C-alpha cells in the first residue's frame, strides 16, 4: 500500500503504475488515451455501490418532496416529520457514498475504491 500514516488518518500517495494504467486506453503503438469517466473499469467493478447510492439518493429526494408537500398542503404534524426523517435516513448514506465515489474517480488524496467494503466477496 502506497500510503503515509499521520495520526489516525491515512494519506494516499501517488497512484501506483497499475492504478494509473487503468485510467488509460493503451493503443497498439503504445499511445495512451484517457478513458472517459463513464468507461472507467472501477465503475464496472463497483456497480452495486453505484446502483445502491443512486437508489438511496432518489428515494431520499422523493421522500423529501412528499414531506414538503405534506407541510404545504396542510397535512403537516407527524406525517411530515416521518417523511423528513425517512428522507434523511436515505439521503445521508446515499449522498456520502456518491461524493466518496466521485472523489475516488477524480483521484483525490485519501479516496480509493479499495477502501469501500466488499460485500460480494465469496466466503472461504
Amino acid at each position: 500500500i502506497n500510503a503515509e500514516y499521520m495520526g489516525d488518518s491515512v494519506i494516499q500517495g501517488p497512484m501506483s503504475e497499475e492504478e494509473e494504467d487503468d485510467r488509460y486506453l493503451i493503443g497498439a503503438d503504445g499511445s495512451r488515451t484517457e478513458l472517459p469517466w463513464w468507461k472507467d473499469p472501477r465503475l464496472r467493478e463497483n456497480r452495486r455501490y453505484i446502483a445502491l447510492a443512486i437508489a438511496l439518493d432518489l428515494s431520499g429526494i422523493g421522500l423529501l418532496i412528499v414531506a414538503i408537500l405534506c407541510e404545504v398542503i396542510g397535512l403537516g404534524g407527524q406525517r411530515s416529520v416521518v417523511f423528513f426523517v425517512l428522507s434523511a435516513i436515505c439521503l445521508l448514506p446515499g449522498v456520502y457514498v456518491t461524493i466518496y465515489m466521485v472523489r475516488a474517480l477524480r483521484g483525490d488524496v485519501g479516496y480509493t475504491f479499495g477502501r469501500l467494503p466488499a460485500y460480494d466477496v465469496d466466503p472461504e
Side-chain angles (χ1 to χ4, degrees):
I1 295 176
N2 190 10
E4 178 181 329
Y5 291 94
M6 294 186 71
D8 291 337
S9 63
V10 176
I11 298 175
Q12 294 287 49
M15 282 191 218
S16 69
E17 192 173 312
E18 184 177 304
E19 288 174 323
E20 188 70 31
D21 284 344
D22 285 345
R23 296 180 57 204
Y24 295 95
L25 183 61
I26 300 175
D29 60 352
S31 63
R32 294 169 53 148
T33 306
E34 189 166 358
L35 290 171
W37 66 268
W38 64 87
K39 290 187 178 180
D40 193 310
R42 296 173 295 177
L43 290 178
R44 183 171 292 123
E45 294 168 6
N46 294 289
R47 64 183 174 268
R48 291 180 184 172
Y49 285 114
I50 295 167
L52 181 60
I54 291 171
L56 284 171
D57 290 340
L58 294 176
S59 299
I61 291 169
L63 289 167
L64 185 62
I65 291 170
V66 170
I68 292 171
L69 288 175
C70 284
E71 281 295 320
V72 170
I73 294 174
L75 299 175
Q78 291 180 347
R79 285 187 189 145
S80 63
V81 170
V82 168
F83 286 115
F84 276 119
V85 169
L86 289 175
S87 71
I89 289 172
C90 290
L91 278 174
L92 290 175
V95 169
Y96 171 78
V97 170
T98 302
I99 291 172
Y100 192 95
M101 286 190 181
V102 168
R103 294 194 71 179
L105 275 174
R106 287 181 15 198
D108 290 350
V109 174
Y111 293 89
T112 63
F113 282 97
R115 294 181 68 187
L116 291 171
Y119 296 114
D120 56 348
V121 176
D122 293 328
E124 294 180 16

